[in-house]
């Protein structure tokens, strides 16, 4: 298909402190005891996309990610790991590796994406419409614990997130408007020229931009080099392409089209019949209509480009690990409703207990739980809807609910852990109580301590 694949793996994301560190960059955060990046790499491998550029922010992080890829995917994938400066953003990361991009089209995938939507479907839609960009949209995931009896903050009910406001044409194939980030809270303002051309627009607030894009390479490079202040694909590049699609300033054939942000299309007033608009709205593309002159003729056609969408089916799983809450939600989902993504075989009790793990007397590990290799639990412990990593040492009378415990964690007798994330090499002394907390790597929580809603990490 002549697509070049770029995976944007990030670095040590500030939104994920204290889970991330110099030793554990974002791409290596565990989801069901596997690095989150493995989910994207295996999705690409399953779709026969095996020649990849993985972009990592920071030299140290790139070395760690590259080392893991080399050991885990030897003879399976051909991966070039490229280090870029930290905090350059997604647009800046692509700008930094622009000289590596040579194919006609580029498939850009976020390394924190956990999903089962085939990237080939996005690529096919992109080629079918000869688009400059095609964005994959999926149902916005719900956030929070799986039932009202579990923890997860003040609001214990699962609720859908509000990620974007997106305007679609009646065929739901083209993007007419997108607001992301802080723009979501502002009034929706849509260019008249686009509304005139398409006739009507469907506004959606229940869709998430999955950060899986197909770009026409020449267009992507042109924007990145001409718009040097653009930092983000989602908040800068994509909205720019959507806004300008009926007055394209892209130089497809080398000629620069004139940009006019003010709307000269006002001359269309009272000259385009409603029947013409509605007929156009049901056609394959409204762009041909938008390219016409004021009287519907094409003596001086405007330059246009197409911004397409691929909307994943609602029965597909799609989430991004871009916050601490998302980290907890995705871990719970991958050993729960999306267990087909885990790559593991579940027991008759709907859980995963490694054969080398040891359970004490009267200790129970419930459904939708995972206990990693070499971990040991004492007597009378209870684990519910949680992931426990490798080589953990857990005392007696310990309760773990809706939590993620990483590798080499030591937990003393009588501890209670609810709705929390415990990073590797942490030591919880006896009778510690944690609710809705995050504990950074290597931290020691002293005996008898009680914390709620705290982030605990080494200074």
């Amino acid at each position: 298909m002549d697509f070049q694949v770029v995976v944007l793996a990030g670095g040590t994301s500030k939104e994920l402190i204290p889970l991330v560190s110099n030793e554990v960059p974002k791409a290596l955060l565990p989801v069901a005891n596997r690095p989150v990046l493995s989910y994207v790499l295996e999705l690409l491998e399953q779709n026969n996309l095996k020649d990849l550029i993985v972009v990592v922010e920071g030299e140290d992080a790139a070395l760690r990610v590259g080392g893991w890829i080399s050991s885990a995917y030897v003879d399976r994938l051909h991966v070039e790991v490229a280090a870029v400066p930290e905090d350059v953003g997604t647009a800046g990361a692509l700008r930094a590796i622009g000289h590596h991009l040579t194919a006609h089209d580029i498939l850009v995938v976020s390394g924190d994406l956990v999903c089962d939507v085939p990237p080939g479907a996005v690529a096919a839609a992109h080629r079918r419409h000869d688009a400059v960009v095609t964005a994959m949209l999926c149902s916005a995931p719900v956030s929070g614990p799986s039932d009202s009896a579990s923890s997860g903050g003040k609001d214990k009910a699962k609720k859908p997130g509000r990620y974007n406001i997106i305007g679609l044409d009646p065929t739901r194939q083209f993007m007419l408007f997108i607001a992301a980030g802080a723009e979501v809270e502002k009034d929706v303002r849509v260019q008249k020229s686009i509304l005139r051309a398409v006739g009507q627009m469907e506004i959606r607030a229940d869709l998430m931009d999955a950060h899986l894009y197909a770009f026409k390479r020449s267009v992507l490079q042109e924007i990145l080099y001409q718009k040097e202040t653009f930092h983000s694909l989602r908040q800068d590049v994509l909205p720019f392409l959507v806004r300008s699609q009926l007055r394209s300033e892209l130089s497809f054939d080398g000629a620069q089209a004139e940009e006019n942000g003010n709307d000269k299309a006002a001359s269309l007033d009272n000259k385009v019949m409603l029947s013409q608009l509605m007929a156009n709205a049901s056609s394959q593309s409204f762009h041909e209509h938008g390219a016409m002159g004021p009287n519907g003729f094409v003596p001086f056609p405007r330059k246009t480009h197409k911004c397409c969408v691929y909307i994943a089916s609602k029965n597909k799983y799609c989430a991004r690990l871009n916050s601490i809450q998302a980290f907890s939600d995705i871990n719970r989902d991958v050993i729960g409703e999306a267990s087909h993504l885990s790559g593991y075989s579940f027991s008759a009790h709907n859980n995963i207990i490694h054969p080398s793990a040891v359970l004490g007397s009267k200790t129970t590990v419930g459904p939708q739980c995972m206990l990693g290799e070499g971990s040991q639990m004492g007597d009378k412990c209870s684990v519910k809807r949680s992931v426990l990593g490798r080589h953990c040492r857990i005392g007696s009378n310990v309760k773990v609910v809706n939590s993620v415990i990483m590798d080499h964690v030591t937990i003393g007798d009588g501890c209670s852990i609810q709705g929390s994330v415990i990073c590797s090499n942490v030591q919880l002394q006896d009778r510690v109580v944690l609710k809705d907390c995050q504990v950074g790597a290597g931290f020691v929580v002293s005996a008898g301590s009680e914390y709620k809603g705290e982030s605990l990490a080494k200074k």
Side-chain angles (χ1 to χ4, degrees):
M1 249 185 151
D2 193 29
F3 269 87
Q4 201 169 2
V5 182
V6 179
V7 179
L8 299 178
T12 52
S13 171
K14 293 180 176 64
E15 291 79 12
L16 289 163
I17 292 173
L19 278 58
V20 294
S21 63
N22 291 333
E23 290 72 30
V24 184
K26 178 181 179 180
L28 301 184
L29 280 177
V31 170
N33 290 340
R34 287 171 44 193
V36 63
L37 183 59
S38 69
Y39 290 84
V40 160
L41 297 185
E42 295 195 9
L43 177 69
L44 294 169
E45 183 183 28
Q46 290 162 11
N47 285 265
N48 205 33
L49 296 165
K50 299 181 181 182
D51 198 352
L52 320 172
I53 301 174
V54 174
V55 185
V56 184
E57 294 182 18
E59 293 282 352
D60 289 346
L63 286 171
R64 292 182 184 277
V65 172
W68 168 75
I69 291 174
S70 296
S71 62
Y73 291 92
V74 62
D75 299 329
R76 290 172 56 186
L77 299 175
H78 178 263
V79 180
E80 179 182 354
V81 177
V84 299
E86 295 182 39
D87 301 321
V88 294
T90 50
L94 286 174
R95 191 180 289 116
I97 63 150
H99 58 289
H100 291 288
L101 305 180
T102 56
H104 185 272
D105 293 295
I106 309 296
L107 197 65
V108 181
V109 189
S110 179
D112 63 8
L113 182 66
V114 179
C115 83
D116 54 5
V117 182
V122 180
H126 182 72
R127 285 282 172 85
R128 186 166 61 249
H129 293 294
D130 189 28
V132 300
V133 62
T134 300
M136 186 175 93
L137 306 177
C138 55
S139 298
V142 294
S143 178
S146 55
D147 60 59
S148 59
S150 58
S151 82
K154 294 179 181 178
D155 181 3
K156 294 185 177 179
K158 269 193 163 188
K159 52 187 181 295
R162 190 182 187 190
Y163 293 84
N164 310 100
I165 296 177
I166 293 170
L168 302 174
D169 80 307
T171 69
R172 297 180 181 172
Q173 296 178 97
F174 300 102
M175 186 181 292
L176 313 179
F177 174 85
I178 182 168
E183 298 296 317
V184 168
E185 303 303 325
K186 298 180 180 179
D187 292 339
V188 175
R189 296 177 180 273
V190 184
Q191 290 165 297
K192 292 178 183 177
S193 56
I194 289 180
L195 284 177
R196 287 193 181 98
V198 75
Q200 63 189 59
M201 179 171 68
E202 180 180 350
I203 298 290
R204 300 284 295 270
D206 61 335
L207 294 173
M208 179 186 81
D209 176 355
H211 264 231
L212 195 161
Y213 309 109
F215 283 102
K216 188 167 286 187
R217 190 256 311 158
S218 60
V219 168
L220 178 63
Q221 289 180 322
E222 181 179 335
I223 292 173
L224 293 176
Y225 296 142
Q226 290 187 3
K227 307 289 184 182
E228 294 181 356
T229 59
F230 280 7
H231 185 79
S232 164
L233 293 178
R234 183 170 68 97
Q235 297 188 36
D236 296 319
V237 174
L238 185 58
F240 170 78
L241 286 171
V242 171
R243 283 195 309 271
S244 62
Q245 60 189 309
L246 291 188
R247 290 185 174 277
S248 180
E249 63 175 16
L250 303 173
S251 59
F252 298 101
D253 54 3
Q256 186 75 12
E258 179 186 354
E259 181 185 18
N260 187 341
N262 291 325
D263 196 17
K264 285 183 182 175
S267 59
L268 285 173
D269 278 340
N270 303 319
K271 294 184 180 179
V272 180
M273 298 177 61
L274 180 61
S275 58
Q276 187 180 4
L277 285 172
M278 296 310 293
N280 184 72
S282 60
S283 67
Q284 185 178 12
S285 169
F286 64 91
H287 297 82
E288 289 79 6
H289 178 77
M292 291 180 180
N295 298 312
F297 299 107
V298 200
F300 303 105
R302 298 188 185 100
K303 187 173 290 191
T304 66
H305 60 251
K306 295 177 183 177
C307 300
C308 294
V309 296
Y310 176 85
I311 302 177
S313 169
K314 286 187 176 181
N315 64 4
K316 294 291 187 179
Y317 183 83
C318 185
R320 290 188 59 216
L321 199 162
N322 54 6
S323 69
I324 290 175
Q325 183 64 61
F327 174 83
S328 297
D329 291 341
I330 294 171
N331 266 280
R332 186 166 50 246
D333 290 344
V334 170
I335 56 169
E337 63 189 55
S339 60
H340 62 285
L341 288 170
S342 70
Y344 298 104
S345 297
F346 283 68
S347 73
H349 302 289
N350 195 26
N351 60 23
I352 306 164
I353 300 176
H354 194 276
S356 64
V358 178
L359 303 184
S361 172
K362 298 184 179 177
T363 286
T364 60
V365 177
Q368 300 182 13
C369 287
M370 185 172 193
L371 183 59
E373 175 187 356
S375 288
Q376 299 179 7
M377 303 190 70
D379 298 338
K380 298 181 180 178
C381 294
S382 170
V383 181
K384 297 179 180 178
R385 297 179 300 278
S386 296
V387 176
L388 280 67
R390 301 173 182 87
H391 305 292
C392 294
R393 296 292 178 267
I394 298 171
S396 299
N397 296 296
V398 172
K399 291 182 171 55
V400 182
V401 181
N402 275 332
S403 295
V404 179
I405 296 172
M406 299 187 195
D407 298 341
H408 299 283
V409 171
T410 300
I411 299 177
D413 294 345
C415 290
S416 174
I417 303 163
Q418 192 172 7
S420 297
V421 179
I422 314 297
C423 294
S424 295
N425 298 301
V426 163
Q427 181 181 350
L428 306 185
Q429 297 179 351
D430 293 350
R431 304 181 312 283
V432 167
V433 177
L434 300 177
K435 184 174 183 182
D436 304 328
C437 292
Q438 301 90 44
V439 185
F443 194 82
V444 178
V445 183
S446 56
S449 300
E450 295 189 17
Y451 292 98
K452 182 177 181 180
E454 297 283 347
S455 180
L456 309 173
K458 290 181 174 179
K459 301 297 184 185

